Protein backbone atom coordinates (compact mmCIF):
# COMPACT_ATOMS: atom_id res chain seq x y z
CA UNK A 1 0.00 0.00 0.00
CA UNK A 2 1.03 3.59 -0.56
CA UNK A 3 0.93 5.60 2.63
CA UNK A 4 1.05 9.38 2.88
CA UNK A 5 1.89 10.88 6.26
CA UNK A 6 1.19 14.57 6.70
CA UNK A 7 3.41 15.48 9.66
CA UNK A 8 2.76 18.97 10.98
CA UNK A 9 5.18 19.64 13.79
CA UNK A 10 7.53 22.59 13.27
CA UNK A 11 10.05 20.71 15.44
CA UNK A 12 12.02 18.36 13.19
CA UNK A 13 13.14 16.19 16.13
CA UNK A 14 9.97 16.67 18.16
CA UNK A 15 7.56 14.11 19.49
CA UNK A 16 5.12 14.26 16.58
CA UNK A 17 7.97 13.84 14.09
CA UNK A 18 9.18 10.84 16.09
CA UNK A 19 5.71 9.27 15.96
CA UNK A 20 5.52 9.79 12.19
CA UNK A 21 8.99 8.25 11.71
CA UNK A 22 8.05 5.24 13.85
CA UNK A 23 4.92 4.72 11.75
CA UNK A 24 6.98 5.02 8.57
CA UNK A 25 9.62 2.56 9.79
CA UNK A 26 7.02 -0.03 10.83
CA UNK A 27 5.05 0.35 7.61
CA UNK A 28 8.15 0.05 5.42
CA UNK A 29 9.25 -3.02 7.38
CA UNK A 30 5.85 -4.52 6.53
CA UNK A 31 6.43 -3.83 2.82
CA UNK A 32 4.48 -0.60 2.37
CA UNK A 33 5.63 2.46 0.40
CA UNK A 34 5.62 5.50 2.71
CA UNK A 35 6.03 9.22 2.08
CA UNK A 36 6.23 11.74 4.89
CA UNK A 37 5.58 15.38 4.09
CA UNK A 38 6.41 17.87 6.82
CA UNK A 39 3.65 20.35 6.06
CA UNK A 40 4.98 22.68 8.77
CA UNK A 41 7.95 23.39 6.49
CA UNK A 42 5.78 24.01 3.44
CA UNK A 43 4.15 27.22 2.30
CA UNK A 44 0.50 26.23 2.21
CA UNK A 45 -2.11 28.94 2.33
CA UNK A 46 -5.62 28.54 3.64
CA UNK A 47 -8.56 28.01 1.32
CA UNK A 48 -9.75 31.25 -0.30
CA UNK A 49 -13.34 30.04 -0.72
CA UNK A 50 -13.20 31.41 -4.26
CA UNK A 51 -14.81 28.27 -5.77
CA UNK A 52 -12.35 28.32 -8.70
CA UNK A 53 -11.66 24.63 -8.03
CA UNK A 54 -15.32 23.73 -8.49
CA UNK A 55 -15.91 25.94 -11.52
CA UNK A 56 -13.22 26.90 -14.02
CA UNK A 57 -10.53 24.89 -12.22
CA UNK A 58 -12.22 21.49 -12.61
CA UNK A 59 -10.79 20.30 -9.27
CA UNK A 60 -7.56 22.32 -9.42
CA UNK A 61 -6.92 25.00 -6.84
CA UNK A 62 -6.18 28.49 -8.12
CA UNK A 63 -3.38 28.90 -5.57
CA UNK A 64 0.03 27.73 -6.72
CA UNK A 65 1.79 27.15 -3.43
CA UNK A 66 3.38 24.02 -1.93
CA UNK A 67 0.02 22.26 -1.80
CA UNK A 68 0.66 21.52 -5.48
CA UNK A 69 3.27 18.97 -4.28
CA UNK A 70 0.71 17.26 -2.05
CA UNK A 71 -2.22 16.89 -4.45
CA UNK A 72 -0.48 14.22 -6.58
CA UNK A 73 0.55 12.32 -3.45
CA UNK A 74 -3.07 12.37 -2.24
CA UNK A 75 -4.25 11.00 -5.57
CA UNK A 76 -1.83 8.05 -5.32
CA UNK A 77 -2.10 7.20 -1.61
CA UNK A 78 -4.11 4.29 -0.26
CA UNK A 79 -3.67 5.40 3.35
CA UNK A 80 -3.57 8.91 4.86
CA UNK A 81 -1.95 9.44 8.24
CA UNK A 82 -2.32 12.79 9.98
CA UNK A 83 0.34 13.54 12.60
CA UNK A 84 -0.12 16.67 14.69
CA UNK A 85 0.89 18.16 17.98
CA UNK A 86 -2.02 19.45 20.01
CA UNK A 87 -2.20 23.23 20.30
CA UNK A 88 -5.02 24.47 22.51
CA UNK A 89 -6.98 21.22 22.30
CA UNK A 90 -6.93 21.00 18.50
CA UNK A 91 -4.93 19.98 15.48
CA UNK A 92 -2.32 22.64 14.81
CA UNK A 93 -2.69 25.27 12.08
CA UNK A 94 0.11 23.74 10.03
CA UNK A 95 -2.07 20.70 9.29
CA UNK A 96 -5.34 22.62 9.12
CA UNK A 97 -4.34 24.47 5.94
CA UNK A 98 -3.69 21.29 3.89
CA UNK A 99 -6.84 19.65 5.26
CA UNK A 100 -8.91 22.67 4.27
CA UNK A 101 -7.31 22.64 0.84
CA UNK A 102 -8.58 19.09 0.27
CA UNK A 103 -11.74 21.01 -0.64
CA UNK A 104 -10.45 21.42 -4.19
CA UNK A 105 -10.69 17.65 -4.71
CA UNK A 106 -13.48 17.24 -2.10
CA UNK A 107 -12.58 13.69 -1.06
CA UNK A 108 -9.15 12.36 -2.03
CA UNK A 109 -10.80 9.32 -3.60
CA UNK A 110 -7.96 6.81 -3.89
CA UNK A 111 -7.45 6.82 -0.12
CA UNK A 112 -9.30 4.01 1.65
CA UNK A 113 -7.82 4.06 5.16
CA UNK A 114 -6.56 6.62 7.65
CA UNK A 115 -4.86 6.97 11.03
CA UNK A 116 -4.14 9.76 13.49
CA UNK A 117 -1.01 10.41 15.56
CA UNK A 118 -1.20 13.09 18.26
CA UNK A 119 1.33 14.38 20.77
CA UNK A 120 0.88 16.88 23.56
CA UNK A 121 2.38 18.18 26.75
CA UNK A 122 -0.74 17.38 28.78
CA UNK A 123 -3.05 14.37 29.00
CA UNK A 124 -6.77 14.56 28.23
CA UNK A 125 -6.52 17.29 25.57
CA UNK A 126 -7.28 15.20 22.48
CA UNK A 127 -11.08 15.17 22.18
CA UNK A 128 -11.49 18.07 19.71
CA UNK A 129 -8.72 16.81 17.42
CA UNK A 130 -10.07 13.26 17.48
CA UNK A 131 -13.58 14.50 16.75
CA UNK A 132 -12.35 16.52 13.77
CA UNK A 133 -10.36 13.56 12.45
CA UNK A 134 -13.36 11.23 12.76
CA UNK A 135 -15.58 13.73 10.95
CA UNK A 136 -13.06 14.04 8.10
CA UNK A 137 -12.53 10.28 7.86
CA UNK A 138 -16.28 9.66 7.95
CA UNK A 139 -17.06 12.31 5.33
CA UNK A 140 -14.37 10.94 3.04
CA UNK A 141 -15.38 7.32 3.65
CA UNK A 142 -12.00 6.27 5.05
CA UNK A 143 -11.66 3.26 7.30
CA UNK A 144 -10.11 4.45 10.56
CA UNK A 145 -7.19 2.16 11.38
CA UNK A 146 -6.54 3.81 14.73
CA UNK A 147 -5.42 6.72 16.82
CA UNK A 148 -2.30 6.94 18.96
CA UNK A 149 -1.88 9.74 21.48
CA UNK A 150 1.20 10.49 23.54
CA UNK A 151 1.39 13.07 26.32
CA UNK A 152 4.64 14.14 27.94
CA UNK A 153 5.49 10.97 29.87
CA UNK A 154 4.41 8.71 26.98
CA UNK A 155 6.53 10.35 24.30
CA UNK A 156 9.34 8.42 22.66
CA UNK A 157 8.66 5.33 24.78
CA UNK A 158 8.60 1.66 23.85
CA UNK A 159 4.91 1.52 24.81
CA UNK A 160 4.00 4.30 22.37
CA UNK A 161 6.22 2.75 19.71
CA UNK A 162 4.33 -0.54 20.14
CA UNK A 163 0.95 1.22 19.81
CA UNK A 164 2.12 2.83 16.57
CA UNK A 165 3.37 -0.49 15.24
CA UNK A 166 -0.01 -2.09 16.04
CA UNK A 167 -1.66 0.35 13.62
CA UNK A 168 0.27 -1.26 10.76
CA UNK A 169 -1.43 -4.60 11.49
CA UNK A 170 -4.77 -2.95 10.63
CA UNK A 171 -3.70 -2.13 7.09
Amino acid sequence: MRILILQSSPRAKGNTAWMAEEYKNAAEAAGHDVTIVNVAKKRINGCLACEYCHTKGNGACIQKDDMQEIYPLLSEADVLVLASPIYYFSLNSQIQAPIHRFYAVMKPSHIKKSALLLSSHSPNVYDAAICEYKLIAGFCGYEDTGIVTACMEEQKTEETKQKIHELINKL
Side-chain angles (χ1 to χ4, degrees):
M1 297 182 112
R2 288 186 177 172
I3 301 170
L4 174 60
I5 302 173
L6 298 183
Q7 193 284 106
S8 63
S9 176
R11 297 173 50 221
K13 302 283 185 198
N15 300 309
T16 304
W18 177 84
M19 293 174 81
E21 282 295 326
E22 285 300 325
Y23 190 102
K24 179 181 189 272
N25 294 339
E28 287 179 340
H32 302 287
D33 179 26
V34 183
T35 301
I36 295 179
V37 177
N38 184 344
V39 295
K41 302 297 182 190
K42 300 290 184 184
R43 188 181 59 81
I44 301 173
N45 301 314
C47 178
L48 297 174
C50 67
E51 290 297 327
Y52 176 85
C53 58
H54 295 184
T55 57
K56 297 176 195 169
N58 294 314
C61 183
I62 196 167
Q63 298 185 77
K64 303 306 177 211
D65 58 8
D66 292 341
M67 191 65 190
Q68 300 309 309
E69 300 170 25
I70 297 172
Y71 285 129
L73 299 172
L74 284 170
S75 70
E76 298 168 356
D78 302 298
V79 179
L80 175 64
V81 179
L82 302 177
S84 175
I86 295 295
Y87 293 173
Y88 291 99
F89 306 95
S90 185
L91 300 172
N92 69 355
S93 63
Q94 289 88 338
I95 205 161
Q96 291 288 355
I99 289 170
H100 294 173
R101 294 280 296 284
F102 290 1
Y103 182 68
V105 296
M106 285 306 283
K107 301 175 184 180
S109 60
H110 195 261
I111 296 169
K112 302 297 180 225
K113 298 181 179 195
S114 62
L116 180 64
L117 307 173
L118 298 172
S119 68
S120 68
H121 181 78
S122 304
N124 305 317
V125 295
Y126 305 107
D127 291 349
I130 291 170
C131 181
E132 181 178 1
Y133 162 75
K134 287 184 175 185
L135 288 168
I136 293 165
F139 173 75
C140 292
Y142 304 156
E143 177 188 334
D144 174 23
T145 61
I147 299 166
V148 175
T149 63
C151 67
M152 187 60 88
E153 63 272 0
E154 299 167 322
Q155 293 168 356
K156 298 182 181 178
T157 65
E158 281 301 314
E159 183 180 333
T160 298
K161 183 178 181 178
Q162 183 60 38
K163 289 178 184 177
I164 293 167
H165 286 224
E166 288 171 8
L167 296 179
I168 306 308
N169 296 332
K170 298 176 185 176
L171 298 178

